Amino acid sequence: MNHSSKPETFADQVHAIPGGEHLELCYSCGTCVSKCMIQQKVEPEYNPRRLLRLVMMDMREEAFKSPTTWLCSACDLCYSACPQEVHISSVIGAVKQLAVEAGHESPLETVSVDESLCSGCGICVMVCPYEAPHLVEKEIDGEMDRVSEVDTNKCMGCGTCVAACPLGAIARPGVSNKEVRAQIDVPEVDGAPRLVVFVCDWCLRADDDVTLLESYPENVRVIHIPCTGRIDPEMALMALRSGIDGVLVCGCAPGECHYKRGTHVSTCKISLLNRMLDQMSIGDGRVRFVQIGTQDRGRVRNEVDATLKHLAPQKKEAV
Amino acid sequence: MVDASRHPKVDVRTYTEVERVEGFVGNFKVLLREKSRYVHEDRCNGCGECAQVCPIEVPNYFEMNLAPRKAAYVPMSQSVPLIYSIDMDACIHCYKCVDACGELDAIDFGMDDRLVWEDIGSIVVATGFDHFDPSVIPEYGYGRFPNVITAMEMERLNNSAGCTAGNLIRPSDGESPKSLAIINCVGSRDKRFNPWCSNFCCMYGIKNAVLLKQTYPDMDISIYYIDIRTPLKGYEEFYDRAREMGIRFIQGRPSLITENPETRNLYVHSEDMALGQVLEHEYDMVMLNQAAVPQPDVDTVSSVLNISQSPGGWFMEYHPKLRPMDSPTDGVFLSGACQGAKDIPSSVAQGSAAASRAGRVLHSDEWEIEPVVAMVWEDRCISADGKKCGMCSKACPYGAIEYEQGKPAKVVTAKCHGCGGCVAECPHNAITQMHFTDAQILAQIRALLANQPEEKILAFRCHWCSYGGADLAGTSHFDYSSNERGMRVMCSARMDSDFIYEAFRLGAGAVLFSGCHPQDCHYITGQPVGEKRAERLRKQFERMGMTPGRFRIEWISAAEGDKYAQVVNEMQELLDSIPKQKLLQEIEELRPQMEKRARRMREVPQVEEALEFADRLTTAMLNREAEVVE
C-alpha cells in the first residue's frame, strides 16, 4: 500500500540515498563491530550496529554526533563478514552525507595544503581513495593560481597524498615529512643489523603483536604510520644512505586495507623502489614489504626475525 | 532399526538406490539398484575377520574422518544388517579377506550391482540433510586452525564409543581442553550461504555444552549466538538449566577467529551486545555449529520421484500448513529434514504422519483426485494421424501424458493434477481440462468484456497464488480499481495465448497475466511454462505497436494483497493516461492481427458453438464414466 501520508523519517532519508537501501536488513548480530578495528584501537564508542539502530529508531541528532558516522573509513572488512550482506559503509556514508548537509563537521585530524608550495599538479587528486582533494582556482598573493583544496569532511587522514606530493606541500599533523624523518635514526647495538620497521596502524590486530614489536632492542626502530600509503620511497633511501641496513614495511593484506587503496599504492611504490635498488646493486632484500592479514596473529615477529637474519651477513658490506 | 529389520512385514534394503520410478499412486513401479557389497548377504555373519586382516586403512566417514577404517568394513558398529562390504576404491586385491573368511565363502570379487523392479504402493522420502562445510567461511579458520572443529566432530570426540573412547582432546596436541567456545549460526541465517535458520542448532549447542559441563565441571564454556531460539516444550527450561550450570552465553556473532601460532590457542573476536564492547577471548578449542543444508543429490532424487524443491533445495510440501507431509505428487510423502531443517520430535511427528498417509494409500482400492483433470479429444490429436507433436507431454510437470507417435496422446488420470498446461500448449485444440474448458473460459471472457471493454482490466489469476492475493486485497479492504475483472484458472500454465488474443480482440483495455512466484508454483514447473508464453506474447504485442503496459505480467503470492491492489491501480493509471480516442484507435488497429492469431477462435467462432462443444465433451465424459461403471 501507499504510505505517502506518513511523514518522512530519518530512516526513509537514509534509505533514499544510494547504498542506504540495505539498512533494514540488519538484525543486529554485532559481526561488523568486532570485525572493525576502530573500537579496539581508537574509539570505544565506535559501533556501526548501534548507528544503524539509531537510524532505524529515528534518532537523527544522536546519529550525527556518533563517532561511528565520522570514523568509518569504508574499508569494507565488515561487509565481507556481514551475514545479511548489508553494505554498512554505504549506510554510514549516507548518514554522513545527511550530517554534512545539516551542517555538522568531521572531527577527524585531516591533511592540510600549503598553498604557497602547491603547484596544482593534481597527483593528490589521483591517489586519494576518498576523493577529498580537488583543484580550485584561487587568488594567492594577489595572483590567480590553481591549487589543491581538501574537503575536510571527506579526508580520513591516511597520508597517501602526503607521500605522493612531489613538492611536500601537504602535511598531516603527527606524520609530516619532518616528523617521520626525525625518527629514522637507529643506534648501533652489538654489531647487530640496524633495521627500520614501518608499521601501519591497522595491520596488527592483536595487542600482543604491538607490544612485542616494542620489545626489540634499539637496533630495530619501529615507526608507526597511519597507512603504508604514507610510505615515501625517499624515506627508505634516506635510511639506507644513513647506514641503516634494511627497511621493513608492514601493511594490511590486499582487500583489507583500512584506507581502501593504501596497500595497493605502497605495493607499487616498493616494487619500483626495489627495481631501482637492484640497478644500483644494493637491492637484495634490503627493503621488504609484507602484507599481514587479519588472521596472521604472531606473523610480524617472524617477519622481523627473518629480515634481521637475512641482513646479518650483509652487515659489513657498505651500502 | 533392529526391530524393524526383524519385522516380518518390513523389508529393509540398505546400500540400495532408487534409479527410476514409474506409474502413479498405488501402482508405482520402482527400479532399485542393489549395490554390490562384494560380500554375499546371506552368507556373511558379521564376524569381522576380513576387516582384521585387511591391510588397507582409509578415513572413516562415520567418525568424521578422525579415525581410520579398513577397506573391508561396516559403516558403524550398529549397522543393520551387520554385513561387511569391500570398498573397491581402496582395495588392493590382496585377497587376505577371502582367506580369512574361509569356509563361509561370503566374499565374492566377481559380484555386480543388481537391478530389481518392485511394485510399490506409496513412497516415503526420508533422505535427511547434510552439514554445511564451514571451511568456506575464511574468518572462522576451519581447516586452517586444527583446534577449530565442527559440531559433528565434537560429537565423535565426546562419544564413549567414538574414536577417542570419549576422551575429549585437542587435535593439535592431544591435550584435554580447559575452555571451549561454541559458535552458533555457522553458515545459517547468512545470506552469503544459507538464509534459513537451521532450527535445531541452538538446542544442539546447549546440549553439547551441558554434556561437557557434566563430564568436565571445570571447563569454561561459552556459547556465541545471534538469538537463542528455544520455542518448543521444555526447551526454555533446558536453556535455563544450562545458564545455571555456569555456561556463559554471549550475544554477538563472532567476526573472526585467530590463532596463537605457538600455543595453538584460539582467540574469538566478537561484540558482547550487553556490554556494547568488542571482546577477544582466548579458548583452547572452538566448536562450530554448522548449518543444516539439503543433501547434495536432491536434484537427482527430485527428478527420479518427480517432486519439486523449495528455494534452497529442500523438498516442497503440498501445503505448508495443511499438508506438510505430502509431496505435490500423489502417493509420495515427505518425512523429516529432507523437507526442511527440523529436530528429532518434529521429524518423528512428521514421519508418523507420513507413514499413516502412506498406509491410507495401501488400504484403499480407490483414490480420490481433484476433478479438474485433462482429457484428450482423440479425433483431434494429430499424433493419431502419425504426425510428430508431443507438446502436451513436454508441458506436463507430472509425466502424466503418454505420448507415442501414431497413437493419440493419453492422459493417465491418476497422475494428472489439473494444472492445464497441456491444454494451453496443444496447438490443435485436442486437449481440454474438466471444469476449465476453453468454452467455459471463453464464455467468461466474453461476458466480462461485454460492455465497454476498453475500460476494463481483465486479470487472469492462478488459483493458488494470485487469486489468493486478490482475495486478500479484498478482505484487507485495499482499494483497487473497480474496472478490474478477475478470472480464475488453476495455473498460469493454463493461460492460453488465445485467451489473451481473444480478450484484446474483444477490445479489452488491459490484460493482467498473474501467477505464483517462480519456485512457488503449486504444479512444480507450471509457472515457467506460463512465464515463457507470457514473455513471448509481450514481445509480440510490442512489435505490433501496442502501448507497453496494456499487457502486464506479474507474479503475486497469496500473501501479497497490497501488491495485487498496487498492480491493478498502476494499470488503471496507465489506462487513464491514454486518451480514449487513441486507445479505441489502437484497439481497432490491432483487432485484425488478434483475429488472425486467435486461430482457436476460427475453429470455435461463436460462444454458442463453444458451448455446444462443451456439451459434447460432457456427454463423452458421461459415456466414458458409464463404461467404467459397467
Side-chain angles (χ1 to χ4, degrees), chain A residues 27 29 39 49 80 83 297, chain B residues 189 191-192 253 278 280:
Chain A
Y27 58 44
C29 67
Q39 187 187 100
R49 176 180 66 82
S80 68
R297 183 183 275 266
Chain B
R189 298 189 71 195
K191 285 200 160 44
R192 298 169 300 164
R253 183 180 174 278
V278 174
E280 187 190 315

Side-chain angles (χ1 to χ4, degrees), chain A residues 38 46 51 62-73 92 95-101 103-108 152-156:
Chain A
I38 297 176
Y46 185 89
L51 182 74
E62 288 85 343
F64 289 165
K65 282 184 192 133
S66 161
T68 316
T69 307
W70 304 100
L71 285 174
C72 171
S73 63
I92 298 178
V95 176
K96 187 167 160 183
Q97 187 185 327
L98 290 170
V100 172
E101 280 167 15
H104 292 259
E105 276 179 9
S106 168
L108 286 181
T152 48
N153 286 324
K154 284 185 176 169
C155 175
M156 300 305 298

Side-chain angles (χ1 to χ4, degrees), chain A residues 1-3 25 27-36 39-40 44-47 49-50 77-86 205-209 212 256 293-299 301-302, chain B residues 138-141 144-145 185 188-193 225-227 251-262 267 269-280 477-479 562-563 565-566:
Chain A
M1 284 306 288
N2 219 342
H3 296 293
L25 284 172
Y27 58 44
S28 250
C29 67
T31 306
C32 48
V33 186
S34 57
K35 191 77 191 268
C36 184
Q39 187 187 100
Q40 206 182 324
E45 286 300 305
Y46 185 89
N47 194 319
R49 176 180 66 82
R50 281 202 179 153
L77 268 186
C78 52
Y79 175 59
S80 68
C82 176
Q84 288 293 86
E85 295 183 335
V86 179
R205 180 173 281 263
D207 292 338
D208 323 354
D209 284 343
L212 185 134
E256 291 179 352
T294 46
Q295 280 177 319
D296 297 340
R297 183 183 275 266
R299 184 172 154 205
R301 166 192 240 158
N302 301 344
Chain B
E139 302 96 87
Y140 289 165
R144 183 174 163 196
F145 305 146
C185 299
S188 43
R189 298 189 71 195
D190 192 331
K191 285 200 160 44
R192 298 169 300 164
F193 308 107
Y225 67 96
I226 307 172
D227 299 295
Q251 186 172 23
R253 183 180 174 278
S255 61
L256 190 70
I257 295 174
T258 53
E259 187 194 47
N260 185 328
E262 278 150 28
Y267 298 86
H269 301 249
S270 86
E271 190 198 2
D272 185 317
M273 297 274 173
L275 296 173
Q277 248 178 42
V278 174
L279 303 180
E280 187 190 315
H477 293 239
F478 294 147
D479 281 339
D562 53 341
K563 184 175 173 190
Q566 194 192 337

Side-chain angles (χ1 to χ4, degrees), chain A residues 184-190 192-195 217-221 244:
Chain A
I184 306 177
D185 170 28
V186 188
E188 189 87 27
V189 179
D190 305 333
R194 294 193 289 164
L195 178 66
E218 284 209 313
N219 63 322
V220 177
R221 168 61 51 96
I244 289 165

Side-chain angles (χ1 to χ4, degrees), chain B residues 43 47 49-50 95-107:
Chain B
R43 294 187 208 155
C47 66
E49 294 281 337
C50 49
Y95 303 121
K96 280 189 176 165
C97 50
V98 180
D99 296 339
C101 196
E103 286 193 356
L104 276 176
D105 195 21
I107 300 173

Side-chain angles (χ1 to χ4, degrees), chain B residues 10 30 48 151 165 296 320 343:
Chain B
V10 178
V30 176
D343 61 359

